Every structure is written in structure tokens, then in C-alpha cells.
Amino acid sequence: MITLVCPECRLENEPERIYCHDCGARLDRTALAKVAPKTEDAQETRQRLRKMLDPQRAKIRHLFFKMSKVILGALLTAAVIQMILPPDVPPPAKTGDFPPQINLDLENATLNHSTTPMQYTEAQVNAYLGSALKSKQAALNKYLQFERAIVNFDENLCRVTAQRSLFGFSVYTATSSKVTLQNGAIAATNLGGSIGRLPVHPMLMKYSDVLFGDLWGALERERKSVAKMDRIEFHPQQVVLVPKP
Ligand SMILES: [Zn+2]
């Protein structure tokens, strides 16, 4: 290891020092410049350069990036197509159908202390939602024009799909939840959702209030009526509401 000899006190200083460690005199660092840094041996240099300039390698790297871009683009396109594709939903109910007055039934059951469970099919709930939400259009999102809400019931599972239109295209957003009643409040555990046919992870559905906030708001009265029930049960294509005894 080379050292820097102090011009004043002759102390041998480490090469990193600028001033003498002992007397503080400025060291002559020009000596360092004369010592050549550790050189790469010729063999190594040749190999490194060959690797850098190898046309085959460069071609492979170029191809890799090009392919990655193509694959990424394809995945993105596939995701967008999945988002645009409409999910399996029933056609809109014919206008003129007289829907069951579900909210009235619930309110009456609470008023009259009835204990008879009320049972509705998916189609009945969808018909009810169709008419109930028509009158609340104004309260619903104006940018993503609300078209309709569709429910699907399965064992312990309630799926709500909102159909909206954006520049004339139909946009479907859906959310699946396990819904229970706990001490007069509706508790929903999200089990995931979807945009079109693209599944959305439950973790991301935390942010779904942006997509459904207006709908939940428009159904405030219905939610309050349901919360007054003792139990809510979901079965395939069917919901059962049991009033409090
Ligand atoms: Zn010195």
C-alpha cells in the first residue's frame, strides 16, 4: 500500500488524507496520480467488450423487450375487452310489469309485528329495483348514467350488478357480498366484484364505494327497512326476510 509522506514531519499518512495526521501540513497528493490504478487484465477486457458488443446478445435483448411490450399490450387489451364484455345478466324487465311492493311489505311487517317470513325471487327483487330506482334517477350518478341494478342470489351470497352507460356504452360493475344482520345493522363482507367480465379482487373492492355509493344512497330507505328485520337469508335465486319476533 502506498503512503503519503508528510513534507514537514515525514509521517507516513494513509493515501485518503489531504492534511498530515500529525502536524496538519498539506500533503503532496501528486504522488498518487503517478501510481496507475489496478488494471483489468487484457483477457478480462476482451471478454467484457465482446459481451457488450455481441450482436447476438443485443438482438436477443431487443427481441425480449419487444416481446414484453407485445405481451403487455395484449394483456392490457384482454383486460379492457373483459371490462367491456357484458356479464350474464337477465334482460331488462318489460315495462308495464307490476312489481311487488317489497319495501311496503317490510314496513308493514314491522308495523304489524308480523313474524311471517317474506320470500322473494331474484326476478321479483329485480322488478322492484327497476321501479324503485326509476324514480330516484336524479339522485344517481349523472356522469356514468345509471341504467339499472340487477341482483343475483346464491347460498349466503348476494351479488349486485349496476348497469350504467358511458358515451353510449354499457358499463357493468358488480359486487358480491355475504350479507348478514347484526344488531339492527346490515353487515356485508365483500367477496370480490367485477367490471364487465373482469374479476376484481375483494381487497380492491374496498374502494368500490366510488362505483356503488350513489346506488346505496338511493336505496337508503330499503336498507333501513331490511335492517329492522331479524334475519336475512340468501338462497339460490331467492331471498328470505324474517321479521323480528
Ligand atoms: Zn506532518
Side-chain angles (χ1 to χ4, degrees):
M1 185 171 121
I2 68 154
T3 55
L4 293 170
V5 179
C6 174
E8 300 296 325
C9 69
R10 315 305 299 168
L11 178 83
E12 293 192 350
N13 286 278
E14 293 91 341
E16 292 81 16
R17 292 195 188 278
I18 293 168
Y19 298 100
C20 173
H21 188 53
D22 197 34
C23 71
R26 199 182 174 97
L27 299 168
D28 178 17
R29 294 180 54 82
T30 54
L32 284 179
K34 287 168 196 147
V35 184
K38 184 202 172 286
T39 48
E40 200 175 33
D41 74 56
Q43 179 75 16
E44 277 174 48
T45 310
R46 257 201 308 279
Q47 268 175 2
R48 197 164 52 85
L49 283 174
R50 195 181 299 143
K51 246 188 220 171
M52 264 171 64
L53 303 171
D54 183 355
Q56 205 60 37
R57 262 178 109 86
K59 227 182 268 172
I60 289 167
R61 194 170 346 179
H62 179 73
L63 198 71
F64 174 77
F65 283 118
K66 218 165 119 183
M67 285 301 291
S68 303
K69 250 192 246 174
V70 168
I71 291 166
L72 212 70
L75 283 175
L76 213 67
T77 309
V80 169
I81 288 172
Q82 288 296 304
M83 282 166 80
I84 293 169
L85 278 178
D88 290 318
V89 286
K94 292 185 293 289
T95 47
D97 286 355
F98 192 72
Q101 296 300 301
I102 297 178
N103 203 45
L104 214 60
D105 292 353
L106 296 184
E107 283 172 2
N108 284 338
T110 307
L111 273 174
N112 304 329
H113 306 286
S114 156
T115 52
T116 320
M118 287 162 284
Q119 191 174 316
Y120 301 100
T121 64
E122 255 176 26
Q124 284 177 308
V125 176
N126 283 330
Y128 171 77
L129 287 176
S131 74
L133 290 167
K134 199 151 278 169
S135 57
K136 290 168 183 168
Q137 279 283 3
L140 292 153
N141 197 317
K142 284 161 204 72
Y143 304 103
L144 272 163
Q145 179 64 50
F146 182 85
E147 298 289 341
R148 61 177 176 142
I150 310 129
V151 292
N152 296 110
F153 302 137
D154 218 320
E155 201 59 37
N156 290 320
L157 188 104
C158 173
R159 184 176 177 85
V160 180
T161 306
Q163 181 185 348
R164 297 161 195 275
S165 61
L166 180 69
F167 308 124
F169 286 100
S170 278
V171 180
Y172 294 86
T173 48
T175 178
S176 290
S177 310
K178 181 178 192 277
V179 179
T180 51
L181 281 173
Q182 283 164 8
N183 309 318
I186 300 173
T189 311
N190 198 280
L191 302 170
S194 58
I195 299 175
R197 285 182 185 252
L198 184 78
V200 178
H201 193 271
M203 290 284 280
L204 285 173
M205 290 305 289
K206 281 192 293 207
Y207 309 105
S208 69
D209 276 354
V210 179
L211 299 171
F212 295 99
D214 60 336
L215 184 55
W216 304 152
L219 292 171
E220 184 65 28
R221 203 172 135 216
E222 284 77 4
R223 288 167 65 207
K224 276 187 183 148
S225 303
V226 169
K228 286 192 185 123
M229 296 290 115
D230 186 48
R231 241 171 39 239
I232 187 164
E233 290 170 12
F234 291 98
H235 302 295
Q237 280 109 56
Q238 197 179 98
V239 62
V240 180
L241 290 140
V242 186
K244 276 199 177 110

